[in-house]
Amino acid sequence: MTRIAIIDYGMGNFHSVARALQAAAPEDDVFIARQPSDIQSADRIVFPGQGAMPDCMHTLETSGLRDAVVQAAREKPLLGVCVGEQMLFEHSDEGNTPGLGLFAGNVRRFEGPAFDHPSDASDAHGRLKVPHMGWNPVHQTRAHPLWQGIEQDTPFYFVHSYYAQPQNNSLTAATSLYGHAFCCAIAANNIFAVQFHPEKSAAPGLQLYRNFTGWQP
């Protein structure tokens, strides 16, 4: 039986992730990790996150789980979700926040003439709202076992104002389009991470979680 730890450092939607994983892989042991020993004993790691990047990094630090997460990311299959993907990078423009630094790159905000400004009361001028919320097609830019059974340009559910911008383009595993193309999935060695929420993405999201539980990097 595979033991899959969902990291709970106080900022993730870990209950909905757990329900989705349990539905995708009912034969596996899916549990919430709140201690470093929980992460160390797991075979696979899911690293979710939601909310503001400064709060996520602060709560990860104060939870005492940061070192265990970094160590697991070097050794075990790890799936990052939403801010859990962003935290893998060096830096975020959100609050000028340092990340875990596992990958070179920055986390950027949706900005520019295509997007609403905070003072706008509506999208009357045809500009796109930030945060980006809703279903958006995901374009796979390279083959990967976690895309198995998921068709090209399948919509997944997004809720975010920021997106990762890897320094090395080969890290990108998929892009999506909102005002401009942006990286929405990364893959390297034993790590796969996505900006969208598989647990909110119906059958394709369950397929991605199912693929993760059987992935042998």
Side-chain angles (χ1 to χ4, degrees):
M1 178 183 293
T2 301
R3 303 190 76 240
I4 306 172
I6 302 169
I7 298 173
D8 172 20
Y9 56 98
M11 293 296 292
N13 51 337
F14 52 89
H15 287 305
S16 58
V17 172
R19 287 192 294 270
L21 270 168
Q22 287 162 351
E27 71 283 2
D28 290 333
D29 179 17
V30 177
F31 67 99
I32 306 300
R34 297 187 174 95
Q35 304 292 332
S37 58
D38 296 334
I39 298 173
Q40 293 158 3
S41 69
D43 301 307
R44 298 172 184 274
I45 306 297
V46 179
F47 184 38
Q50 63 183 17
M53 179 78 161
D55 295 337
C56 287
M57 286 302 302
H58 175 73
T59 54
L60 181 63
E61 293 279 3
T62 58
S63 72
L65 297 178
R66 175 180 176 140
D67 289 347
V69 171
V70 171
Q71 188 64 31
R74 295 182 176 133
E75 300 174 346
K76 302 177 181 184
L78 182 144
L79 176 63
V81 177
C82 195
V83 182
E85 179 213 31
Q86 297 177 11
M87 293 167 74
L88 301 176
F89 286 86
E90 294 172 311
H91 179 267
S92 174
D93 289 348
E94 187 175 17
N96 191 27
T97 307
L100 294 174
L102 296 174
F103 298 118
N106 201 37
V107 177
R108 306 283 189 189
R109 192 176 194 276
F110 285 114
E111 291 182 324
F115 301 99
D116 262 346
H117 299 290
S119 59
D120 288 341
S122 70
D123 60 348
H125 301 290
R127 292 193 289 261
L128 299 170
K129 288 184 175 296
V130 179
H132 168 213
M133 298 178 63
W135 296 83
N136 231 50
V138 168
H139 186 79
Q140 302 162 27
T141 56
R142 59 187 174 98
H144 193 279
L146 265 71
W147 295 135
Q148 182 178 353
I150 299 172
E151 294 184 4
Q152 183 66 284
D153 297 321
T154 292
F156 283 83
Y157 191 81
F158 290 81
V159 182
H160 65 126
S161 300
Y162 293 79
Y163 61 93
Q165 190 173 69
Q167 183 173 306
N168 186 344
N169 289 333
S170 68
L171 189 63
T172 300
T175 61
S176 194
L177 183 65
Y178 193 69
H180 55 74
F182 66 94
C183 172
C184 68
I186 61 169
N189 301 319
N190 59 302
I191 296 175
F192 193 91
V194 298
Q195 179 61 64
F196 52 82
H197 288 273
E199 70 281 359
K200 297 180 180 179
S201 298
L206 290 181
Q207 181 64 45
L208 190 143
Y209 278 135
R210 191 174 299 113
N211 292 342
F212 173 68
T213 65
W215 178 35
Q216 299 295 334

